[in-house]
Amino acid sequence: LLLCLLFLGAARYQFAQPSITSEHIAWYNGQNVKMVLEGRLIEPPDERDQFTYLRVKVDQLHPDYDPHFITVHGLLLARLDPGGNWRYGDRLRLEGYLEEPFVNETFDYRDYLAHQDIYSVMDHAQGIVLLRGQGNLLLSAIYDFRQAALEQVYRFFPDPEASLLAGILLGVRTGIP
């Protein structure tokens, strides 16, 4: 029984590994060519003081020098300048360089993002919104309710209590020190 469970676990692990082919966005990492890609924002933006993170489900891309799109799939973590009016479900066009997440002695960001099925990052990306409201209507309503609740928490409580309550009640961890 233990051997059977061991083999089933190994088979499940192999099955869960992504297939990095020319149809996956990670295939184009590290080519030192500016890429233009289109996709849909699958979560609300993670806004920080110095930058904004966007998780994008990419469906097509092309090198900057070639105007013909290639159909691809996969998730991308894009890092843009702060600001911008990004919302869940937006269809975006991003420009930048595709890279593999970094690995150093203290932290393996590549492995951390791989657990979230993200194998490509785009730092210092430039982006525009092509279409609004392309996401799931139920998720959109939930994210809108979450944002309204977050604003109420910050209206009634000062920091750091508001950040702690937002983290516990709403799952918003950005303000927690």
Side-chain angles (χ1 to χ4, degrees):
L1 182 61
L2 286 175
L3 280 175
C4 182
L5 289 175
L6 177 70
F7 287 122
L8 284 174
R12 191 238 176 257
Y13 175 77
Q14 288 298 322
F15 183 72
Q17 297 302 311
S19 175
I20 307 294
T21 65
S22 62
E23 296 173 350
H24 195 280
I25 188 172
W27 180 267
Y28 302 94
N29 288 349
Q31 293 188 359
N32 293 326
V33 174
K34 186 179 258 190
M35 294 287 187
V36 177
L37 56 88
E38 291 185 4
R40 186 174 47 87
L41 190 57
I42 61 168
E43 289 182 2
D46 180 3
E47 297 183 22
R48 310 283 175 95
D49 290 337
Q50 303 295 321
F51 51 85
T52 300
Y53 280 128
L54 302 178
R55 290 178 191 264
V56 179
K57 183 176 183 180
V58 178
D59 52 39
Q60 58 184 3
L61 64 76
H62 68 79
D64 194 29
Y65 59 84
D66 181 6
H68 300 97
F69 277 104
I70 303 166
T71 302
V72 294
H73 67 277
L75 298 178
L76 166 78
L77 183 64
R79 183 174 145 174
L80 292 89
D81 290 333
N85 190 15
W86 315 108
R87 286 185 270 171
Y88 163 78
D90 288 350
R91 179 144 181 87
L92 308 174
R93 175 174 288 153
L94 299 172
E95 292 184 26
Y97 295 91
L98 288 173
E99 299 293 333
E100 192 172 85
F102 72 88
V103 176
N104 62 27
E105 304 86 34
T106 59
F107 186 62
D108 188 349
Y109 198 48
R110 180 177 49 202
D111 191 41
Y112 173 77
L113 289 177
H115 282 80
Q116 301 169 41
D117 287 334
I118 298 173
Y119 298 94
S120 297
V121 295
M122 185 180 277
D123 280 338
H124 309 293
Q126 302 294 318
I128 61 169
V129 176
L130 299 175
L131 292 170
R132 295 260 187 219
Q134 301 299 302
N136 183 305
L137 292 177
L138 179 60
L139 276 178
S140 183
I142 290 171
Y143 287 136
D144 289 344
F145 174 77
R146 179 181 171 196
Q147 183 62 34
L150 179 65
E151 290 169 5
Q152 291 300 319
V153 167
Y154 275 98
R155 195 173 118 216
F156 290 123
F157 298 100
D159 254 340
E161 290 85 1
S163 295
L164 184 62
L165 281 172
I168 292 170
L169 298 176
L170 303 172
V172 178
R173 301 173 301 220
T174 55
I176 299 175

